[in-house]
């Protein structure tokens, strides 16, 4: 298998952590989809990372689908198979994913020049991030991990989201949400 992605993509980072935690061998091909000579569209027609080339030559894409696929390859499962625990892990996964999505939109909008930049779009993304962090801080969690005191994809997703805020948004979420 080969994971295609950029070094700064939080979506790719989530999968690289999952691969490491599950000790799954996978080649990592660094490719920035924004470069003029990118090969990313050969793996994902949408031109986005991450993409995963399987050993049979087929490709999968989107970090949510790739997380499910990679988790299915080797025990222990980081996404429970069924029940409340499965949906709790998926809820945390989507909250982390949504935070990352909002930080990415905020970042891209902040890079626009002059009149093209919308302070309203930036403010709306910052509100989403603030609401998500407040919700995560208030939600009942395990003592060490988010769901049932065992490490899961939810922990990876939220951890990556919090670190991505630090990397791209420089927001002091720690003082406002110390439980996180």
């Amino acid at each position: 298998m080969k994971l295609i992605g950029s070094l700064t993509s939080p979506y790719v980072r989530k999968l690289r952590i999952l691969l490491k935690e599950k000790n799954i061998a996978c080649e990592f091909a660094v490719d920035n989809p924004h470069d003029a000579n990118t090969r990313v569209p050969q793996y994902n027609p949408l031109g986005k990372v991450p993409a995963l080339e399987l050993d049979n030559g087929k490709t999968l894409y989107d970090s949510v689908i790739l997380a499910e696929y990679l988790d299915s390859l080797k025990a222990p499962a980081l996404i429970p198979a069924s029940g409340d625990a499965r949906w709790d892990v998926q809820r945390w996964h989507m909250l982390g994913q949504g935070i990352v999505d909002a930080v990415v939109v905020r970042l891209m909008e902040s890079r626009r020049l002059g009149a093209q930049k919308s302070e309203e779009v930036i403010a709306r993304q910052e509100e989403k991030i603030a609401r998500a962090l407040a919700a995560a801080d208030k939600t009942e969690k395990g003592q060490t991990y988010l769901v049932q005191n065992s490490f899961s994809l939810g922990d990876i997703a939220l951890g990556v989201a919090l670190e991505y805020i630090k990397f791209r948004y420089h927001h002091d979420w720690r003082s406002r949400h110390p439980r996180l």
Side-chain angles (χ1 to χ4, degrees):
M1 286 188 306
K2 177 168 55 174
L3 179 65
I4 298 91
S6 70
L7 292 171
T8 58
S9 166
Y11 308 104
V12 172
R13 182 181 177 106
K14 175 177 65 178
L15 298 175
R16 291 180 71 200
I17 292 169
L18 193 151
L19 286 164
K20 184 102 172 146
E21 287 293 330
K22 294 184 75 81
N23 198 26
I24 297 172
C26 184
E27 178 186 348
F28 179 50
V30 177
D31 195 342
N32 184 341
H34 302 290
D35 287 348
N37 59 349
T38 185
R39 296 184 61 209
V40 170
Q42 293 175 15
Y43 301 101
N44 179 352
L46 300 171
K48 299 163 87 175
V49 294
L52 184 69
E53 182 179 43
L54 306 179
D55 292 336
N56 64 10
K58 291 181 181 180
T59 58
L60 299 174
Y61 32 87
D62 190 278
S63 70
V64 174
I65 298 299
L66 294 179
E68 285 269 354
Y69 175 77
L70 294 171
D71 190 53
S72 74
L73 296 180
K74 190 173 183 182
L78 297 179
I79 306 169
S82 62
D84 288 345
R86 175 180 178 77
W87 303 115
D88 287 345
V89 166
Q90 292 289 31
R91 182 173 45 84
W92 283 109
H93 182 195
M94 290 301 96
L95 186 66
Q97 183 89 2
I99 291 169
V100 166
D101 292 346
V103 174
V104 168
V105 170
R106 182 197 174 281
L107 174 68
M108 300 308 282
E109 189 64 30
S110 71
R111 290 180 172 174
R112 296 177 71 142
L113 300 176
Q116 293 178 332
K117 184 189 307 186
S118 170
E119 294 300 330
E120 182 180 325
V121 168
I122 292 169
R124 202 167 35 249
Q125 300 312 308
E126 290 174 354
E127 289 170 8
K128 289 178 185 181
I129 296 163
R131 282 194 311 268
L133 291 172
D137 195 30
K138 290 177 187 173
T139 302
E140 185 177 323
K141 300 175 242 345
Q143 292 294 341
T144 304
Y145 301 109
L146 295 173
V147 179
Q148 292 188 338
N149 267 343
S150 64
F151 185 70
S152 73
L153 180 61
D155 297 291
I156 295 171
L158 187 61
V160 166
L162 296 174
E163 284 299 313
Y164 196 64
I165 291 171
K166 179 181 174 186
F167 179 55
R168 294 292 194 194
Y169 180 19
H170 307 291
H171 177 71
D172 182 22
W173 59 265
R174 291 176 193 263
S175 65
R176 291 183 183 170
H177 306 290
R179 290 182 63 221
L180 297 180

